[in-house]
């Protein structure tokens, strides 16, 4: 269901610009069976915005995102023809699935991250998805959809999205049958699968992962699908049918390659533990990790203790979590995720200053960790040290001007300091980055009338307002065309 829903979201994202029918030529000229790379990217960005800001299952966790970005980056560097930008993100869903969207956006279900027992297994699925992108399989499929199925998919999208917010309106069998029909057309063809496997395996090997992991993970998924004979097949298998032929091919190709032990990164295990600790009822999560630690059922003691401490913190047992972090440290494990957890635990105990110090030290050691930066600014803000928080933000905002989270944090700090012009100005930039120009323009108007700006600040706001209005006018005009 997932992929069809996302591709449907593609249409929804485009449709509101000028009503369903008129928006269709926007996807590329008729007769062109492949979307242009620019159009593909634009489409992907729009869907990504929908997911990031409207999809409740989107995992908005900078540590998980950072991990996936690092892993994904290793694979795209090793992939042939991966010249574009990629973005990897997680969706909280227990099914084993991953999907590539137009424009290099790759979604990974948390179920896949849990089901993968080694990092090479997870990497094998991602490498396959990356190959679908580099080979422009999605663009080609969408190009065909556009001529054949777009109006139907737009109608379907409305029904399904409506059904999501109003379950009573999810009009059962008819929609489901149609969704099934669309979905089968969106499944990758055998040729596409073969190509993605072949190139994915090559990237896996080049990036230093164990190439045998691909076939072993295929087999695992196939076994899982046989157990679930009630039709709840892993989503991945529906869109990427795993056949004996695929398994045999992957085995044969890997057989000619030397066996390579790939040690899992510390973050692989920590991210898995974090996702598990965040799942379901907090007390259940504590019980789960408690048993894991006590019985020694883990690949990594540090990750098991990390999971236990996270679950304890979630269950509002910050003191116990603190003791567990101590045991975690004594395993000798270190890294930005562990420092960030230690700081969250201190915050949970009301020790804001200790947490702030911990994060300041950690950031010196791991200056590129965005997650540590967000946490540091957040804890300074919580400790009512907004001026310090703003000072911490200055340099990163110059380095990463397109990071919406930084602008959001800045707006929060200005708000706490009662600086209204600056607050609305920062909030406007958040909306610009989220692709919502009308909301941004509104914020700048609020900034103008805030009454606490000097002449220079007001002229900066005016200039930006003018710029955004022009940009918005162009967007409106393009949508009408
Ligand atoms: Zn595939």
């Amino acid at each position: 269901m997932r992929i069809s829903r996302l591709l449907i979201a593609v249409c929804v994202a485009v449709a509101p610009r000028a009503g369903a029918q008129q928006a269709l030529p926007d996807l590329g000229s008729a007769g062109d069976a492949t979307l242009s790379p620019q159009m593909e990217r634009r489409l992907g960005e729009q869907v990504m915005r929908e997911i990031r800001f409207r999809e409740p299952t989107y995992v908005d966790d900078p540590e998980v995102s950072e991990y996936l970005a690092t892993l994904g980056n290793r694979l795209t560097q090793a992939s042939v023809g991966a010249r574009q930008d990629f973005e990897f993100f997680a969706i909280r869903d227990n099914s084993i699935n991953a999907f590539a969207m137009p424009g290099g956006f790759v979604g990974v279900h948390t179920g896949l991250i849990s089901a993968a027992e080694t990092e090479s297994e997870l990497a094998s699925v991602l490498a396959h998805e990356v190959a679908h992108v580099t080979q422009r399989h999605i663009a080609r499929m969408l190009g065909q959809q556009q001529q054949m199925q777009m109006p139907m998919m737009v109608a379907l999208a409305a029904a399904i999205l409506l059904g999501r917010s109003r379950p009573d309106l999810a009009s059962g069998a008819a929609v489901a049958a149609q969704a099934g029909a669309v979905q089968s057309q969106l499944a990758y063809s055998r040729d596409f699968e073969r190509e993605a496997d072949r190139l994915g395996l090559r990237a896996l090997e080049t990036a230093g992962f164990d190439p045998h992991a691909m076939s072993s993970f295929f087999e695992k998924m196939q076994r899982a699908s046989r157990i679930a004979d009630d039709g709840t097949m892993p989503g991945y298998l529906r869109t990427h049918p795993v056949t004996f032929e695929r398994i045999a091919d992957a085995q044969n190709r890997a057989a000619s390659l030397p066996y390579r032990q790939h040690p899992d990164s510390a973050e692989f295990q920590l991210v898995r533990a974090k996702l598990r600790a965040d799942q379901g009822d907090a007390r259940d999560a504590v019980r789960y990790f408690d048993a894991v630690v006590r019985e020694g059922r883990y690949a990594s003691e540090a990750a098991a203790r990390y999971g236990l401490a996270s679950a304890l913190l979630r269950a509002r047992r910050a003191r116990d979590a603190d003791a567990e972090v101590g045991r975690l440290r004594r395993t000798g494990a270190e890294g930005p995720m562990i420092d960030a957890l230690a700081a969250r635990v201190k915050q949970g105990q009301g020790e804001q200053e200790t947490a702030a110090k911990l994060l300041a030290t950690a950031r010196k050691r791991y200056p590129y960790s965005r997650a540590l930066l967000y946490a540091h600014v957040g804890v300074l803000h919580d400790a009512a040290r907004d001026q310090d928080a703003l000072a911490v933000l200055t340099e990163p905002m110059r380095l990463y001007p397109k990071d919406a989270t930084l602008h959001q944090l800045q707006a929060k700090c200005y708000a706490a300091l009662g600086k209204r012009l600056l607050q609305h100005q920062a909030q406007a930039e958040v909306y610009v980055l989220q692709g919502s120009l009308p909301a941004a323009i509104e914020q700048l108007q609020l900034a103008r009338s805030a009454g606490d700006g000097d002449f220079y600040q007001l002229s900066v706001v005016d200039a930006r307002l003018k710029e955004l209005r022009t940009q918005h006018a162009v967007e409106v005009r393009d949508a009408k065309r």
Side-chain angles (χ1 to χ4, degrees):
M1 198 64 217
R2 177 62 65 179
I3 294 222
S4 74
R5 215 171 90 196
L6 286 175
L7 288 176
I8 279 160
V10 170
C11 317
V12 168
V14 175
R17 304 186 63 191
Q21 299 301 324
Q22 295 93 312
L24 296 183
D26 231 7
L27 288 165
S29 57
D32 178 6
T34 310
L35 292 186
S36 72
Q38 293 78 9
M39 193 55 78
E40 202 190 335
R41 183 72 187 179
R42 257 179 69 190
L43 211 54
E45 280 170 354
Q46 289 189 31
V47 183
M48 200 56 227
R49 258 180 227 144
E50 291 287 316
I51 293 176
R52 196 175 285 130
F53 304 114
R54 278 187 256 286
E55 174 60 52
T57 57
Y58 172 74
V59 178
D60 187 13
D61 181 316
E63 290 175 324
V64 176
S65 310
E66 224 161 62
Y67 168 69
L68 289 176
T70 308
L71 178 63
N73 197 31
R74 280 182 64 184
L75 294 166
T76 53
Q77 301 254 320
S79 296
V80 184
R83 255 168 272 132
Q84 68 194 112
D85 288 337
F86 275 80
E87 189 173 327
F88 297 82
F89 61 96
I91 291 287
R92 187 166 288 285
D93 189 317
N94 288 334
S95 58
I96 302 174
N97 206 354
F99 53 89
M101 300 196 310
F105 299 91
V106 178
V108 186
H109 283 201
T110 50
L112 169 65
I113 302 175
S114 314
E117 278 168 276
T118 67
E119 196 164 32
S120 293
E121 287 186 346
L122 175 58
S124 74
V125 177
L126 297 194
H128 174 102
E129 293 305 318
V130 167
H132 277 314
V133 175
T134 57
Q135 297 312 300
R136 315 217 53 237
H137 292 163
I138 306 147
R140 284 191 254 168
M141 288 196 313
L142 268 179
Q144 286 158 8
Q145 285 296 325
Q146 162 216 344
Q147 291 169 28
M148 312 288 298
Q149 296 294 341
M150 223 40 136
M152 176 182 154
M153 283 177 64
V154 170
L156 208 59
I160 289 176
L161 289 179
L162 205 67
R164 235 185 338 157
S165 50
R166 291 277 310 277
D168 53 312
L169 290 181
S171 48
V175 169
Q178 271 182 311
V182 170
Q183 182 162 295
S184 64
Q185 284 159 19
L186 292 176
Y188 292 108
S189 72
R190 271 170 185 244
D191 287 344
F192 284 173
E193 284 306 273
R194 208 172 293 137
E195 191 171 37
D197 282 348
R198 186 170 55 80
L199 294 172
L201 189 74
R202 199 194 292 173
L204 194 66
E205 216 254 326
T206 310
F209 292 98
D210 172 18
H212 298 268
M214 187 175 269
S215 59
S216 72
F217 198 59
F218 281 165
E219 284 181 311
K220 204 178 283 177
M221 278 197 281
Q222 213 182 31
R223 272 199 301 277
S225 75
R226 252 180 275 138
I227 295 163
D229 56 357
D230 56 347
T232 57
M233 198 188 345
Y236 190 78
L237 297 185
R238 261 188 256 123
T239 43
H240 311 252
V242 172
T243 57
F244 285 109
E245 183 198 334
R246 282 185 70 194
I247 297 177
D249 278 354
Q251 273 169 345
N252 288 340
R253 280 193 215 103
S256 61
L257 300 168
Y259 174 75
R260 181 177 352 213
Q261 176 97 39
H262 171 80
D264 293 338
S265 69
E267 279 73 25
F268 170 67
Q269 297 295 353
L270 291 175
V271 161
R272 293 176 83 222
K274 182 174 197 187
L275 291 171
R276 180 65 185 81
D278 283 348
Q279 191 185 311
D281 179 65
R283 280 163 306 177
D284 285 345
V286 170
R287 270 193 290 276
Y288 169 80
F289 277 109
D290 217 24
V292 166
V293 166
R294 216 174 35 237
E295 295 158 22
R297 282 189 285 119
Y298 44 67
S300 147
E301 182 186 350
R305 293 198 180 279
Y306 177 97
L308 180 54
S310 306
L312 284 165
L313 183 61
R314 247 189 93 206
R316 299 181 181 281
R317 290 170 57 188
R319 282 240 313 258
D320 294 334
D322 200 25
E324 197 52 45
V325 168
R327 288 188 278 272
L328 160 59
R329 296 261 198 215
R330 283 195 287 282
T331 65
E334 49 187 42
M337 282 185 72
I338 293 174
D339 286 336
L341 172 65
R344 281 198 295 278
V345 167
K346 289 295 177 201
Q347 268 186 292
Q349 294 174 285
E351 296 178 37
Q352 309 293 347
E353 285 303 320
T354 318
K357 260 187 221 140
L358 240 160
L359 288 165
T361 312
R363 283 195 51 229
K364 282 200 193 107
R365 213 178 318 159
Y366 312 105
Y368 298 110
S369 165
R370 213 77 71 91
L372 281 177
L373 168 65
Y374 300 153
H376 191 201
V377 174
V379 81
L380 290 171
H381 168 75
D382 288 349
R385 288 173 58 190
D386 292 283
Q387 209 57 262
D388 294 337
L390 288 169
V392 167
L393 279 171
T394 312
E395 180 65 8
M397 290 193 74
R398 206 181 51 77
L399 287 172
Y400 319 112
K402 293 202 165 164
D403 184 333
T405 306
L406 297 179
H407 292 276
Q408 189 70 70
L409 287 166
Q410 194 189 36
K412 249 168 82 173
C413 293
Y414 282 135
L417 292 169
K419 297 189 172 175
R420 295 190 50 227
L421 176 140
L422 292 168
Q423 173 203 336
H424 291 301
Q425 194 183 16
Q427 192 63 46
E429 295 311 314
V430 175
Y431 290 137
V432 169
L433 292 166
Q434 290 180 357
S436 177
L437 287 181
I441 290 167
E442 195 189 332
Q443 286 298 318
L444 287 178
Q445 284 163 340
L446 289 170
R448 255 177 126 203
S449 55
D452 64 349
D454 58 29
F455 175 76
Y456 171 73
Q457 287 172 323
L458 279 169
S459 49
V460 172
V461 168
D462 277 341
R464 185 68 171 141
L465 193 55
K466 205 172 148 199
E467 203 176 0
L468 294 188
R469 277 182 175 143
T470 312
Q471 217 174 307
H472 183 54
V474 170
E475 266 187 21
V476 170
R477 195 195 60 206
D478 283 356
K480 280 192 185 136
R481 245 195 286 182

